[in-house]
Amino acid sequence: DTLSLHDALPISPARVAFRDGAVSRVGAPIPGRVVELHVEVGDRIKIGDPLVTIASPEASGFHMELSRARIEVQTAKDQLTRQTQMVARGVGREYERVLAEHQLAESQATLRHAQKAVALLGRSSGGTVVVEAEIDGTVLRRYATPGAQVQPGGDPLLELGNPSALWVVAEVFQDDLLLVQEQAPVSVEFAALPQAVAGHVVGLGVVIDTGLRRAPVYVVLDGEVPGLTPGMYARASIQAPAKEGVTVAKTAVLIKDGKTSVVYVEEAEGSFVRREVVVGHTFGEYVQLLAGVRPGERIAVKGALLIDAAAQQLL
């Protein structure tokens, strides 16, 4: 048997997934009780859309503090104005005017603190807080239910995902990772599409499945592909850089004299010539050849030992 040489890794199973940062878990900004859910699973939402309304006594307390702080600032301003006017008319004391300045500064600091506390609640009034979407996307999951008690740092209320921020995660054998480089071309096949889709590698994962000895390789598609959804399965063929040589089946490589590696290249139909090669990385049933052959050439894969009876062993 013969094989046309190529510079692609073995085809890897893959799946469509959200990119990093494309999924947002929405939590409660304040302790309270869910009084209304404004969205359903599958709804498309935009930044600022209302998601959940929470009733919270603490929110009411924050708004009361804000109102009190505003009154205190206005009172301090009026007091400073009076003291300044009295000093100008010669009937006031500079000490009292300076004290009024300090009281105004303190009340303004309290107001800023109260304003920040209320701002962190988002859209709120009185004792209710409306949690809003912070990304454009789709509602993936709804964890909260009306009447449920919620609190910051607890279970999320909702999970949102941006369907336009998808990539393909290819599961590549651990030994193959050395041949994968960023920006490497990738051909991705989907069962629902008649033709493969071009993409390129944008990152390599570091977490390896200890059972399958595979690691994730992240691929971005070069064009827009309608109908892609998270979880969709695919097959990815990742191209190794030309400078890394070509990939062939291990059965094609013979060992001569215990040290020289050779393959048999088909020059004409049924006619083979021996070629010394430089062997690189071995992964699974394949081996990397760094020199001696070129992509596009055909080599003997099975039966190489019959062609060269003097060969001592396979690789």
Side-chain angles (χ1 to χ4, degrees), residues 179-186 199-201 238-241:
L179 301 179
V180 179
Q181 294 188 1
E182 290 195 16
Q183 303 302 317
V186 183
H200 61 278
V201 174
I238 302 173
Q239 301 296 310

Side-chain angles (χ1 to χ4, degrees), residues 38-92:
H38 301 283
V39 293
E40 300 285 345
V41 173
D43 286 354
R44 295 294 298 268
I45 49 94
K46 293 188 175 297
I47 294 175
D49 285 351
L51 302 176
V52 182
T53 297
I54 299 173
S56 172
E58 285 194 23
S60 179
F62 284 144
H63 280 277
M64 290 179 61
E65 289 293 332
L66 179 59
S67 297
R68 185 181 298 111
R70 285 170 175 164
I71 294 173
E72 290 177 353
V73 167
Q74 187 59 50
T75 301
K77 285 182 177 179
D78 293 342
Q79 178 68 12
L80 177 60
T81 300
R82 284 195 300 270
Q83 293 297 331
T84 301
Q85 292 173 347
M86 292 175 66
V87 169
R89 294 196 302 266
V91 295

Side-chain angles (χ1 to χ4, degrees), residues 5-298:
L5 299 180
H6 56 89
D7 55 355
L9 301 179
I11 293 177
S12 302
R15 69 185 189 282
V16 179
F18 285 108
R19 297 193 200 185
D20 292 341
V23 175
S24 172
R25 286 194 165 188
V26 180
I30 194 169
R33 179 175 57 85
V34 175
V35 295
E36 186 176 1
L37 290 165
H38 301 283
V39 293
E40 300 285 345
V41 173
D43 286 354
R44 295 294 298 268
I45 49 94
K46 293 188 175 297
I47 294 175
D49 285 351
L51 302 176
V52 182
T53 297
I54 299 173
S56 172
E58 285 194 23
S60 179
F62 284 144
H63 280 277
M64 290 179 61
E65 289 293 332
L66 179 59
S67 297
R68 185 181 298 111
R70 285 170 175 164
I71 294 173
E72 290 177 353
V73 167
Q74 187 59 50
T75 301
K77 285 182 177 179
D78 293 342
Q79 178 68 12
L80 177 60
T81 300
R82 284 195 300 270
Q83 293 297 331
T84 301
Q85 292 173 347
M86 292 175 66
V87 169
R89 294 196 302 266
V91 295
R93 294 186 298 177
E94 179 64 18
Y95 167 76
E96 291 180 347
R97 189 195 69 80
V98 172
L99 182 60
E101 280 186 343
H102 287 304
Q103 289 176 338
L104 175 59
E106 289 180 1
S107 62
Q108 287 174 331
T110 301
L111 175 61
R112 287 193 296 270
H113 178 76
Q115 288 172 331
K116 289 181 180 178
V118 171
L120 289 175
L121 299 178
R123 189 196 305 180
S124 63
S125 62
T128 61
V129 175
V130 179
V131 181
E132 300 176 333
E134 296 185 357
I135 65 169
D136 295 340
T138 301
V139 180
L140 303 179
R141 294 181 179 84
R142 205 173 76 163
Y143 298 101
T145 56
Q149 294 291 329
V150 295
Q151 59 182 355
D155 294 334
L157 306 174
L158 303 164
E159 185 175 80
L160 311 178
N162 185 350
S164 64
L166 297 172
W167 57 14
V168 174
V169 182
E171 300 295 334
V172 177
F173 279 117
Q174 175 185 356
D175 290 343
D176 294 353
L177 286 178
L178 295 177
L179 301 179
V180 179
Q181 294 188 1
E182 290 195 16
Q183 303 302 317
V186 183
S187 177
V188 183
E189 299 176 359
F190 298 96
L193 300 179
Q195 294 182 336
V197 179
H200 61 278
V201 174
V202 294
L204 280 67
V206 295
V207 178
I208 296 176
D209 185 316
T210 56
L212 300 177
R213 308 306 300 172
R214 290 179 181 269
V217 172
Y218 302 102
V219 177
V220 169
L221 301 179
D222 294 336
E224 187 173 340
V225 181
L228 284 189
T229 58
M232 183 180 292
Y233 287 101
R235 289 163 26 112
S237 178
I238 302 173
Q239 301 296 310
K243 66 179 182 180
E244 295 290 348
V246 295
T247 303
V248 303
K250 290 201 304 185
T251 54
V253 182
L254 307 178
I255 306 298
K256 299 281 289 183
D257 304 322
K259 57 181 179 180
T260 303
S261 300
V262 301
V263 298
Y264 277 84
V265 179
E266 187 177 42
E267 289 191 327
E269 186 173 355
S271 176
F272 295 86
V273 61
R274 188 177 72 183
R275 189 86 59 79
E276 291 189 6
V277 293
V278 177
V279 176
H281 186 65
T282 299
F283 45 98
E285 297 302 316
Y286 294 86
V287 63
Q288 176 191 30
L289 300 184
L290 301 177
V293 289
R294 299 182 301 275
E297 291 186 309
R298 292 171 59 82

